[in-house]
Amino acid sequence: MTNKRICPICNSKMKQQFIGLLHCKCGISYHRDLGYFKRNENMIFVLESKKIKQVPVIIYKKDK
């Protein structure tokens, strides 16, 4: 899969973390199911197993 996503904010090329999940240095991310969104400090990006393959998911830290 070639990364052809360009950040809509700063127009730089986004870097791939997992297949279907891209990040930009300005704080914008792209998820294939969610589209573009702004990251925050509560987000954790992980892979979740779905039978045969792993898919990227976003989980949130719980407040203590």
Coordinates of all heavy atoms in Angstrom, one line a residue:
M1 N 0.9 -1.2 0.0 CA 0.0 0.0 0.0 C 0.9 1.2 0.0 O 1.7 1.4 0.9 CB -0.9 0.0 1.2 CG -1.7 1.2 1.4 SD -2.7 1.1 2.9 CE -3.4 2.7 2.8
T2 N 0.7 2.1 -1.0 CA 1.5 3.3 -1.0 C 0.7 4.4 -0.3 O -0.5 4.5 -0.4 CB 1.8 3.7 -2.4 OG1 0.6 3.9 -3.1 CG2 2.7 2.7 -3.1
N3 N 1.4 5.2 0.4 CA 0.8 6.3 1.2 C 0.7 7.5 0.3 O 1.7 8.2 0.0 CB 1.7 6.6 2.4 CG 1.2 7.8 3.2 OD1 0.1 8.3 2.9 ND2 1.9 8.2 4.2
K4 N -0.5 7.9 -0.1 CA -0.7 9.1 -0.9 C -1.5 10.1 -0.2 O -2.0 11.1 -0.8 CB -1.5 8.7 -2.2 CG -0.7 7.7 -3.1 CD -1.4 7.4 -4.3 CE -0.6 6.4 -5.1 NZ -1.3 5.9 -6.3
R5 N -1.7 10.0 1.1 CA -2.4 10.9 1.9 C -1.6 12.1 2.3 O -0.4 12.0 2.7 CB -2.9 10.3 3.3 CG -3.9 9.2 3.1 CD -5.2 9.8 2.8 NE -6.2 8.7 2.5 CZ -7.3 8.9 2.0 NH1 -7.8 10.0 1.8 NH2 -8.1 7.8 1.8
I6 N -2.1 13.3 2.0 CA -1.5 14.6 2.4 C -2.3 15.2 3.5 O -3.5 15.3 3.4 CB -1.4 15.5 1.1 CG1 -0.6 14.8 0.0 CG2 -0.8 16.8 1.4 CD1 0.8 14.5 0.3
C7 N -1.6 15.8 4.5 CA -2.3 16.4 5.6 C -3.1 17.6 5.1 O -2.6 18.5 4.3 CB -1.3 16.9 6.6 SG -2.0 17.8 8.0
P8 N -4.4 17.7 5.4 CA -5.2 18.9 5.0 C -4.8 20.2 5.7 O -5.2 21.3 5.2 CB -6.6 18.5 5.3 CG -6.5 17.5 6.4 CD -5.2 16.8 6.2
I9 N -4.1 20.1 6.8 CA -3.7 21.3 7.5 C -2.4 21.9 7.0 O -2.3 23.1 6.7 CB -3.6 21.0 9.0 CG1 -5.0 20.5 9.6 CG2 -3.2 22.3 9.8 CD1 -6.1 21.4 9.4
C10 N -1.3 21.1 7.0 CA 0.0 21.6 6.7 C 0.5 21.1 5.3 O 1.6 21.5 4.9 CB 1.0 21.2 7.8 SG 1.3 19.4 7.9
N11 N -0.3 20.3 4.6 CA 0.1 19.8 3.2 C 1.3 19.0 3.2 O 2.0 18.9 2.1 CB 0.2 21.0 2.2 CG -1.2 21.6 2.0 OD1 -2.2 20.9 1.9 ND2 -1.2 22.9 2.0
S12 N 1.7 18.4 4.3 CA 2.9 17.5 4.2 C 2.4 16.0 4.1 O 1.3 15.7 4.4 CB 3.8 17.7 5.4 OG 3.1 17.3 6.6
K13 N 3.3 15.1 3.7 CA 3.0 13.7 3.6 C 2.8 13.1 4.9 O 3.6 13.3 5.8 CB 4.1 13.0 2.8 CG 3.8 11.6 2.4 CD 4.9 11.0 1.6 CE 4.6 9.6 1.2 NZ 5.6 9.0 0.4
M14 N 1.7 12.3 5.1 CA 1.5 11.7 6.4 C 2.2 10.4 6.5 O 2.4 9.7 5.5 CB 0.0 11.4 6.6 CG -0.8 12.7 6.5 SD -2.6 12.5 6.8 CE -2.6 12.4 8.6
K15 N 2.7 10.0 7.7 CA 3.5 8.8 7.9 C 2.5 7.7 8.4 O 1.7 7.9 9.2 CB 4.6 9.0 8.9 CG 5.5 10.1 8.4 CD 6.9 9.9 8.9 CE 7.7 11.1 8.4 NZ 8.8 10.7 7.7
Q16 N 2.8 6.5 7.9 CA 1.9 5.3 8.2 C 2.4 4.7 9.5 O 3.6 4.4 9.7 CB 2.0 4.3 7.1 CG 1.1 3.1 7.4 CD 1.0 2.3 6.1 OE1 0.9 2.8 5.0 NE2 0.9 1.0 6.4
Q17 N 1.5 4.5 10.5 CA 1.9 3.8 11.7 C 1.4 2.3 11.5 O 2.2 1.4 11.8 CB 1.2 4.4 12.9 CG 1.5 3.6 14.2 CD 0.9 4.2 15.4 OE1 0.1 5.1 15.3 NE2 1.2 3.7 16.6
F18 N 0.2 2.1 11.2 CA -0.3 0.8 10.8 C -1.1 0.9 9.5 O -1.4 2.0 9.1 CB -1.4 0.3 11.9 CG -0.9 0.3 13.3 CD1 -1.6 1.0 14.3 CD2 0.2 -0.5 13.7 CE1 -1.1 0.9 15.6 CE2 0.6 -0.5 15.0 CZ 0.0 0.2 15.9
I19 N -1.3 -0.2 8.8 CA -2.1 -0.1 7.6 C -3.5 0.5 8.0 O -4.2 0.0 8.8 CB -2.3 -1.5 6.9 CG1 -0.9 -2.0 6.5 CG2 -3.3 -1.5 5.8 CD1 -0.9 -3.4 5.9
G20 N -3.9 1.5 7.3 CA -5.1 2.2 7.6 C -5.1 3.3 8.6 O -6.1 3.9 9.0
L21 N -3.9 3.6 9.2 CA -3.7 4.6 10.2 C -2.5 5.4 9.9 O -1.4 4.9 9.9 CB -3.6 4.0 11.6 CG -3.5 4.9 12.8 CD1 -4.7 5.8 12.9 CD2 -3.3 4.1 14.0
L22 N -2.7 6.7 9.6 CA -1.6 7.6 9.3 C -1.5 8.8 10.2 O -2.6 9.2 10.8 CB -1.8 8.1 7.8 CG -2.0 7.1 6.8 CD1 -2.7 7.7 5.5 CD2 -0.7 6.5 6.4
H23 N -0.3 9.3 10.4 CA -0.2 10.5 11.3 C 0.7 11.6 10.6 O 1.5 11.3 9.8 CB 0.6 10.1 12.6 CG -0.1 9.1 13.4 ND1 -1.3 9.3 14.0 CD2 0.2 7.8 13.8 CE1 -1.7 8.3 14.7 NE2 -0.8 7.3 14.6
C24 N 0.4 12.8 11.0 CA 1.2 14.0 10.6 C 1.8 14.6 11.8 O 1.3 14.6 12.9 CB 0.3 15.0 9.8 SG 1.2 16.4 9.2
K25 N 2.9 15.3 11.6 CA 3.6 15.9 12.7 C 2.8 17.1 13.3 O 3.1 17.5 14.4 CB 5.0 16.4 12.2 CG 5.0 17.4 11.1 CD 6.3 17.8 10.6 CE 6.2 18.6 9.4 NZ 7.4 18.8 8.7
C26 N 1.9 17.6 12.6 CA 1.1 18.8 13.1 C 0.0 18.3 14.1 O -0.7 19.2 14.6 CB 0.5 19.6 12.0 SG -0.8 18.9 11.1
G27 N -0.3 17.0 14.3 CA -1.3 16.6 15.2 C -2.6 16.0 14.5 O -3.5 15.7 15.2
I28 N -2.6 15.9 13.2 CA -3.7 15.4 12.5 C -3.4 13.9 12.2 O -2.3 13.6 11.8 CB -4.0 16.2 11.2 CG1 -4.3 17.6 11.5 CG2 -5.1 15.5 10.4 CD1 -5.6 17.8 12.3
S29 N -4.4 13.1 12.3 CA -4.3 11.7 11.9 C -5.4 11.3 10.9 O -6.4 12.0 10.8 CB -4.4 10.8 13.1 OG -3.3 10.9 13.9
Y30 N -5.2 10.2 10.2 CA -6.2 9.7 9.3 C -6.4 8.2 9.6 O -5.5 7.4 9.7 CB -5.8 9.8 7.9 CG -6.7 9.2 6.9 CD1 -7.9 9.8 6.5 CD2 -6.5 7.9 6.4 CE1 -8.7 9.2 5.6 CE2 -7.3 7.2 5.6 CZ -8.5 7.9 5.1 OH -9.3 7.3 4.3
H31 N -7.7 7.8 9.9 CA -8.0 6.4 10.1 C -9.0 6.0 8.9 O -9.9 6.8 8.6 CB -8.7 6.2 11.4 CG -9.0 4.8 11.8 ND1 -10.1 4.1 11.4 CD2 -8.3 4.0 12.6 CE1 -10.0 2.9 11.9 NE2 -8.9 2.8 12.6
R32 N -8.8 4.9 8.3 CA -9.6 4.6 7.2 C -11.1 4.5 7.4 O -11.9 4.8 6.5 CB -9.1 3.2 6.6 CG -10.0 2.1 6.7 CD -9.4 0.9 6.0 NE -8.7 0.1 7.0 CZ -7.8 -0.8 6.8 NH1 -7.3 -1.0 5.6 NH2 -7.3 -1.5 7.8
D33 N -11.5 4.2 8.7 CA -12.9 4.2 9.0 C -13.5 5.6 9.5 O -14.6 5.9 9.3 CB -13.2 3.2 10.0 CG -13.0 1.8 9.6 OD1 -13.0 1.5 8.3 OD2 -12.7 0.9 10.4
L34 N -12.6 6.4 10.1 CA -13.0 7.6 10.7 C -12.7 8.9 9.8 O -13.3 9.9 10.0 CB -12.3 7.8 12.0 CG -12.5 6.8 13.1 CD1 -11.6 7.0 14.3 CD2 -13.9 6.7 13.5
G35 N -11.8 8.8 8.9 CA -11.3 9.9 8.2 C -10.3 10.7 9.0 O -9.6 10.2 9.8
Y36 N -10.2 12.0 8.7 CA -9.2 12.9 9.4 C -9.7 13.3 10.8 O -10.9 13.6 10.9 CB -8.9 14.1 8.6 CG -8.2 13.8 7.3 CD1 -8.9 13.7 6.1 CD2 -6.8 13.7 7.2 CE1 -8.3 13.5 4.9 CE2 -6.2 13.4 6.1 CZ -6.9 13.3 4.9 OH -6.2 13.0 3.7
F37 N -8.8 13.4 11.7 CA -9.2 13.8 13.1 C -8.0 14.4 13.8 O -6.8 14.1 13.4 CB -9.8 12.7 13.9 CG -8.9 11.5 14.1 CD1 -8.1 11.4 15.3 CD2 -8.9 10.5 13.2 CE1 -7.3 10.3 15.5 CE2 -8.1 9.4 13.4 CZ -7.3 9.3 14.5
K38 N -8.2 15.2 14.8 CA -7.1 15.8 15.6 C -6.8 14.9 16.8 O -7.7 14.4 17.5 CB -7.6 17.2 16.1 CG -6.6 17.9 16.9 CD -5.9 18.9 16.1 CE -5.0 19.7 17.0 NZ -3.7 19.9 16.5
R39 N -5.5 14.5 16.9 CA -5.1 13.7 18.0 C -5.1 14.4 19.4 O -5.0 15.6 19.4 CB -3.7 13.1 17.8 CG -3.6 12.2 16.7 CD -2.2 11.5 16.6 NE -1.1 12.4 16.7 CZ -0.5 13.0 15.7 NH1 -1.0 12.8 14.5 NH2 0.6 13.8 15.8
N40 N -5.3 13.7 20.5 CA -5.2 14.3 21.8 C -4.4 13.4 22.7 O -4.1 12.2 22.3 CB -6.5 14.7 22.4 CG -7.4 13.5 22.7 OD1 -7.0 12.5 23.2 ND2 -8.7 13.7 22.4
E41 N -4.0 13.8 23.8 CA -3.1 13.0 24.7 C -3.8 11.8 25.3 O -3.1 10.9 25.8 CB -2.5 13.9 25.8 CG -3.5 14.4 26.8 CD -4.2 15.7 26.3 OE1 -3.8 16.3 25.3 OE2 -5.1 16.2 27.0
N42 N -5.1 11.7 25.2 CA -5.8 10.5 25.8 C -5.9 9.3 24.8 O -6.3 8.3 25.2 CB -7.2 10.9 26.2 CG -7.2 11.8 27.4 OD1 -6.3 11.8 28.2 ND2 -8.3 12.6 27.5
M43 N -5.5 9.5 23.6 CA -5.6 8.5 22.5 C -4.4 7.5 22.6 O -3.3 8.0 22.7 CB -5.7 9.1 21.1 CG -7.0 9.8 20.9 SD -6.9 10.5 19.3 CE -8.6 11.0 19.1
I44 N -4.7 6.2 22.4 CA -3.7 5.2 22.3 C -4.0 4.4 21.0 O -5.1 4.0 20.9 CB -3.6 4.3 23.5 CG1 -3.4 5.1 24.8 CG2 -2.6 3.2 23.3 CD1 -3.6 4.3 26.1
F45 N -3.0 4.3 20.2 CA -3.3 3.6 18.9 C -2.7 2.2 19.0 O -1.5 2.0 19.3 CB -2.6 4.4 17.7 CG -3.2 5.7 17.6 CD1 -2.5 6.8 18.2 CD2 -4.3 6.0 16.9 CE1 -3.0 8.1 18.1 CE2 -4.8 7.2 16.8 CZ -4.2 8.3 17.4
V46 N -3.5 1.2 18.8 CA -3.1 -0.2 19.0 C -3.7 -1.1 17.9 O -4.6 -0.7 17.1 CB -3.6 -0.8 20.3 CG1 -3.0 -0.1 21.5 CG2 -5.1 -0.8 20.5
L47 N -3.1 -2.3 17.7 CA -3.7 -3.3 16.8 C -4.6 -4.2 17.6 O -4.2 -4.7 18.6 CB -2.6 -4.0 16.1 CG -1.8 -3.3 15.1 CD1 -0.6 -4.1 14.6 CD2 -2.7 -2.8 13.9
E48 N -5.7 -4.6 17.0 CA -6.6 -5.5 17.6 C -6.8 -6.7 16.7 O -6.9 -6.5 15.5 CB -8.0 -4.8 17.8 CG -9.0 -5.7 18.5 CD -10.3 -4.9 18.7 OE1 -11.1 -4.9 17.8 OE2 -10.4 -4.3 19.8
S49 N -6.8 -7.9 17.2 CA -6.9 -9.1 16.4 C -8.4 -9.3 16.0 O -9.2 -9.3 16.9 CB -6.3 -10.3 17.1 OG -5.0 -10.2 17.2
K50 N -8.6 -9.5 14.7 CA -9.9 -9.9 14.2 C -9.8 -11.1 13.4 O -9.4 -11.1 12.2 CB -10.5 -8.8 13.3 CG -10.7 -7.5 14.0 CD -12.1 -7.5 14.7 CE -12.3 -6.1 15.3 NZ -13.6 -6.0 15.9
K51 N -10.0 -12.3 14.0 CA -9.9 -13.6 13.4 C -8.5 -13.8 12.7 O -7.6 -14.2 13.3 CB -11.1 -13.9 12.5 CG -12.4 -14.0 13.2 CD -13.4 -14.5 12.3 CE -14.7 -14.6 13.1 NZ -15.8 -15.1 12.4
I52 N -8.4 -13.4 11.4 CA -7.2 -13.7 10.6 C -6.3 -12.5 10.6 O -5.1 -12.7 10.7 CB -7.6 -14.0 9.2 CG1 -8.5 -15.3 9.2 CG2 -6.4 -14.2 8.3 CD1 -9.1 -15.7 7.9
K53 N -6.7 -11.3 10.6 CA -5.9 -10.1 10.5 C -6.0 -9.2 11.7 O -7.0 -9.3 12.4 CB -6.1 -9.4 9.2 CG -7.5 -8.8 9.1 CD -7.7 -8.0 7.8 CE -9.0 -7.3 7.8 NZ -9.1 -6.5 6.6
Q54 N -5.0 -8.3 11.8 CA -5.1 -7.3 12.8 C -5.5 -6.0 12.2 O -5.2 -5.6 11.1 CB -3.7 -7.1 13.5 CG -3.2 -8.3 14.2 CD -1.9 -8.0 14.9 OE1 -1.0 -7.4 14.2 NE2 -1.7 -8.5 16.0
V55 N -6.4 -5.2 12.9 CA -6.9 -3.9 12.5 C -6.5 -2.8 13.5 O -6.5 -3.1 14.7 CB -8.4 -3.9 12.2 CG1 -8.7 -4.9 11.1 CG2 -9.1 -4.3 13.5
P56 N -6.2 -1.6 13.0 CA -5.9 -0.5 14.0 C -7.1 0.0 14.7 O -8.2 0.1 14.0 CB -5.3 0.5 13.1 CG -5.8 0.3 11.7 CD -6.1 -1.2 11.6
V57 N -7.0 0.2 16.0 CA -8.1 0.8 16.7 C -7.6 1.9 17.6 O -6.4 1.9 17.9 CB -8.9 -0.3 17.6 CG1 -9.6 -1.3 16.7 CG2 -7.9 -1.0 18.5
I58 N -8.5 2.7 18.1 CA -8.1 3.8 19.0 C -8.8 3.5 20.3 O -10.0 3.3 20.4 CB -8.6 5.2 18.4 CG1 -8.0 5.4 17.1 CG2 -8.2 6.3 19.4 CD1 -8.6 6.6 16.3
I59 N -8.0 3.5 21.4 CA -8.6 3.4 22.7 C -8.2 4.6 23.5 O -7.3 5.4 23.1 CB -8.1 2.1 23.5 CG1 -6.6 2.1 23.6 CG2 -8.6 0.9 22.8 CD1 -6.0 0.9 24.4
Y60 N -8.9 4.9 24.6 CA -8.7 6.1 25.3 C -8.2 5.8 26.7 O -8.7 4.9 27.3 CB -9.9 7.0 25.4 CG -10.3 7.5 24.0 CD1 -11.2 6.8 23.2 CD2 -9.8 8.7 23.5 CE1 -11.5 7.2 21.9 CE2 -10.2 9.2 22.3 CZ -11.0 8.4 21.5 OH -11.3 8.9 20.2
K61 N -7.2 6.6 27.2 CA -6.8 6.4 28.6 C -7.9 6.8 29.5 O -8.6 7.7 29.3 CB -5.6 7.4 28.9 CG -4.3 7.0 28.1 CD -3.2 8.0 28.5 CE -2.0 7.8 27.6 NZ -1.0 8.8 27.9
K62 N -7.9 6.1 30.7 CA -8.9 6.4 31.7 C -8.4 7.4 32.6 O -7.2 7.4 33.0 CB -9.4 5.2 32.4 CG -10.1 4.2 31.5 CD -10.6 3.1 32.2 CE -11.3 2.2 31.2 NZ -11.9 1.0 31.7
D63 N -9.2 8.4 33.1 CA -8.7 9.4 34.1 C -8.6 8.7 35.4 O -9.4 7.8 35.8 CB -9.7 10.5 34.2 CG -9.8 11.3 32.9 OD1 -8.7 11.4 32.2 OD2 -10.8 11.9 32.6
K64 N -7.6 9.0 36.2 CA -7.3 8.4 37.5 C -8.0 9.2 38.6 O -8.4 10.2 38.6 CB -5.9 8.4 37.8 CG -5.1 7.4 36.8 CD -3.7 7.4 37.2 CE -3.0 6.4 36.3 NZ -1.6 6.2 36.6

